[in-house]
Amino acid sequence: MKSGLEDVIAAETKLSDVDGAAGRLIIRGVSLDDLVATSRFEDVAALLLDGLFDEHIDATSIRTQLGAARVALFSHVEAAADATLLALPPVDAVRALLARIEDGEDFASAIRLMAAPAVFLPAVLRLQKGDAPIKPDASLSQSADILRMLTGRVPTAEQTAGLDAYLVTISDHGLNASTFASRVIASTHAGLTSSVLAAISALKGPLHGGAPGPVLDMLDGVGKPENAREWLSHALDHGERLMGFGHRIYRVRDPRADALKTALKPIFASGQADAGRIALAEAIEAAALALLKERKPDRPLETNVEYYTALLLDALGFPRNAFTGVFAIGRTVGWIAHAREQTLDGRLIRPQSRYVGPLPKAA
Ligand code: COA
């Protein structure tokens, strides 16, 4: 057996396909490039959830329902964000607030769970800084409202498009650890809130969705392009992994890395972020890829989604300790879609383990 369950097929899904050899991601029949070019968050939510609930689902009605749910959920923050909760890392505070949402398996539950982290994360971040949280605006798209609730300003078109591109890019990705966790919980019919809570708990680990914050630490540590090789060599000499590189499935460049690199360019080109950061990131990326090739010649280690995520979310004004929470905002729709697929078509997930411990002494 392989302890990471590599190559084990544990579910059949119509939701997404990750082709690690070709570096291709398909979400419900649409390639990632096409999806990012044509979709906002609400479009990909409609695509992923279509047919999984009784309701007819389209992007316009999702936008309206998400707006109303954001407004309704704001009272949860006001009621529950005490000092103990606010002392937690943002993703843990969001998880604690999510746990207050009633479990259910209907579309209304799905909408609440997609809206909740979009409201909770900006509110938690503001409260942690000592600022008052900003009420949601139901008339805005989910992305525009998240940025407005974060900064207090209506975002520019480039910023909203950048966050939409991010949320679309990370909306679903095969049977990754958090999605598997969501499906395991769904297979017990515990309800969608329970699935999302399990998934967010899996996501926060640094080997899954916790990497982009450390990517930014790495950029800051390197500081100047000319320091890249020496700094990275030193990190590798000390047994560290370079954050934003390597992937369990992709043996070539993660297609999401390029989708995000494309998405962040208009924000930097229009002077809304420091263009020097892109040049630094590109220099570090090139040095890291060269070093990883030298040190691990037999293991293709390429840029993954987290690398340009760090640059994009930083440019949009999210603090680095919040990046995992933003990932959760985007991936919740994928977790819900998988949970529903599992509930509708699957059985209780109950694999076997092989006992390798001691046997009872013979009498
Ligand atoms: N930097 C340096 N070395 C790395 C590396 C990285 N980012 N990723 C993998 N390696 C090395 C491992 O140390 C291991 O070397 P060894 O055989 O000498 O022990 C070898 O490559 C294989 O690694 P393995 O742990 O089998 O890969 P995996 O498939 O289990 O891990 C990741 C995939 C994503 C967990 C791993 O690449 C990683 O930790 N990346 C950094 C964190 C990150 O960016 N996470 C976000 C993922 S989207």
Side-chain angles (χ1 to χ4, degrees), residues 6 206-212 215 236 239-249 251 254 256 292 296 299 301 304-307 327:
E6 298 93 314
L207 299 191
H208 188 2
V215 168
L236 288 172
E240 288 174 32
R241 290 187 176 201
L242 304 183
M243 290 293 141
F245 299 91
H247 198 273
R248 175 60 61 81
I249 306 287
R251 290 293 165 262
D254 183 336
R256 299 169 300 172
L292 289 169
K296 305 269 172 215
R299 175 79 162 93
L301 292 169
N304 68 43
V305 63
E306 308 287 26
Y307 194 73
F327 194 155

Side-chain angles (χ1 to χ4, degrees), residues 269-291:
S270 55
Q272 296 170 53
D274 171 13
R277 294 290 271 177
I278 295 198
L280 176 64
E282 285 176 339
I284 295 174
E285 184 184 12
L289 293 175
L291 274 169

